Amino acid sequence: VVPVLNEYIMRFRNMRLPIFASRDWHPKETVHFTSSGGLWPEHCIQDTAGAKFHNDLNLPKDTIIITKGTDYDQDSYSAFDGFVEERLGEIPDVEVVKVPFSVMLECDGVNHLFIGGLATDYCVRATVLDALKFGFKVTLLEDACRGVEINEGDTERALTEMRKAGVVVAHLPTMDESADFASELYRMYARYADSKDWRIELFNVDEHEYGGLSSITFSVEGDGVERLLKENGVHSYTAL
């Protein structure tokens, strides 16, 4: 799944969207492992090479890391069981706060998650279902997922359950990088324009076969529009 995930990561980065990566960070002893009555062999033990992300996974430096599976008595399959470490201030000795993933998303104004990884029938399934329960729009990147299949048919059953719960399924060949993002980008710029007392006029909207919007054409007028957009990294704004 790594090459496919890398392709999605590149697309999302080009859209200036945040990347979240969840990791298992298990203690040496946990009910998650067969040695303590669990389902799984030892894996992703804290501060070991096995807990690192795959060497070929092209995670940007500013990727937000979600840590899960740290408790002895919990499996913690879902990324929503995890937390993000936030340091209070710039001083090295200042306390690090563990912010729940759901709180981090709310604070960042995220309302749509695109989810891929391992494994379809466990961590991906649990994360997708929790995201839907929290009220997020969720797109499953099916070609960037794989199942474990402890029991034959587990992966397909998980996919069926996620579809019934309301997930949208996407694949690279059918998901143009602008699909489903155009409307969210437009809303982002509209909110920003409103905060600056700029005027927006909507000219045209094109739907994408995937189910989102492939393009939105609009104008922005107001004091300092061009300068502020360029200062914020929007150099090709005529193409948005």
Side-chain angles (χ1 to χ4, degrees):
V1 300
V2 171
V4 185
L5 283 170
N6 285 338
E7 180 66 24
Y8 281 116
I9 289 171
M10 181 183 69
R11 294 184 179 206
F12 298 143
R13 291 300 292 171
N14 288 341
M15 304 298 291
R16 299 183 178 275
L17 295 172
I19 306 297
F20 300 91
S22 67
R23 65 174 180 177
D24 282 358
W25 196 247
H26 296 305
K28 179 68 175 177
E29 295 183 4
T30 166
V31 296
H32 189 64
F33 295 158
T34 54
S35 57
S36 297
L39 192 60
W40 308 102
E42 291 185 0
H43 64 279
C44 298
I45 296 174
Q46 298 170 9
D47 298 312
T48 67
K52 294 180 179 179
F53 291 107
H54 195 287
N55 287 334
D56 295 334
L57 187 62
N58 296 331
L59 291 174
K61 291 182 179 179
D62 59 352
T63 297
I64 299 169
I65 306 300
I66 308 149
T67 298
K68 65 185 184 71
T70 59
D71 297 322
Y72 168 79
D73 58 351
Q74 294 183 15
D75 286 311
S76 298
Y77 291 124
S78 172
F80 286 88
D81 294 329
F83 58 85
V84 177
E85 292 186 342
E86 288 280 316
R87 187 175 297 279
L88 299 177
E90 302 295 331
I91 304 173
D93 294 333
V94 171
E95 180 183 1
V96 173
V97 176
K98 297 178 179 179
V99 181
F101 182 41
S102 59
V103 174
M104 169 67 69
L105 294 173
E106 183 179 356
C107 291
D108 288 351
V110 175
N111 54 33
H112 190 163
L113 293 173
F114 293 77
I115 298 175
L118 302 175
T120 309
D121 39 353
Y122 285 90
C123 293
V124 171
R125 169 190 169 275
T127 301
V128 165
L129 295 178
D130 277 352
L132 291 168
K133 289 177 183 177
F134 274 100
F136 294 97
K137 290 177 60 179
V138 182
T139 297
L140 176 68
L141 309 175
E142 187 177 6
D143 49 351
C145 302
R146 292 293 186 278
V148 179
E149 286 284 299
I150 289 182
N151 299 301
E152 185 177 354
D154 279 353
T155 300
E156 190 55 43
R157 281 188 288 272
L159 289 170
T160 299
E161 182 180 9
M162 288 185 280
R163 288 190 181 98
K164 287 182 177 179
V167 75
V168 174
V169 177
H171 305 83
L172 274 176
T174 58
M175 183 178 169
D176 182 85
E177 73 176 77
S178 62
D180 242 15
F181 295 116
S183 58
E184 294 183 24
L185 282 170
Y186 174 73
R187 286 193 293 270
M188 179 185 73
Y189 280 103
R191 288 194 299 268
Y192 187 72
D194 184 62
S195 72
K196 296 292 182 181
D197 291 326
W198 293 344
R199 297 176 301 281
I200 283 187
E201 183 177 356
L202 186 62
F203 291 117
N204 186 63
V205 175
D206 293 320
E207 294 187 358
H208 192 276
E209 61 179 3
Y210 162 65
L213 299 177
S214 61
S215 68
I216 299 177
T217 306
F218 61 95
S219 68
V220 186
E221 296 180 4
D223 183 44
V225 170
E226 183 174 351
R227 174 179 57 80
L228 284 172
L229 288 180
K230 284 188 175 182
E231 285 178 357
N232 284 278
V234 184
H235 298 286
S236 59
Y237 47 85
T238 56
L240 290 176

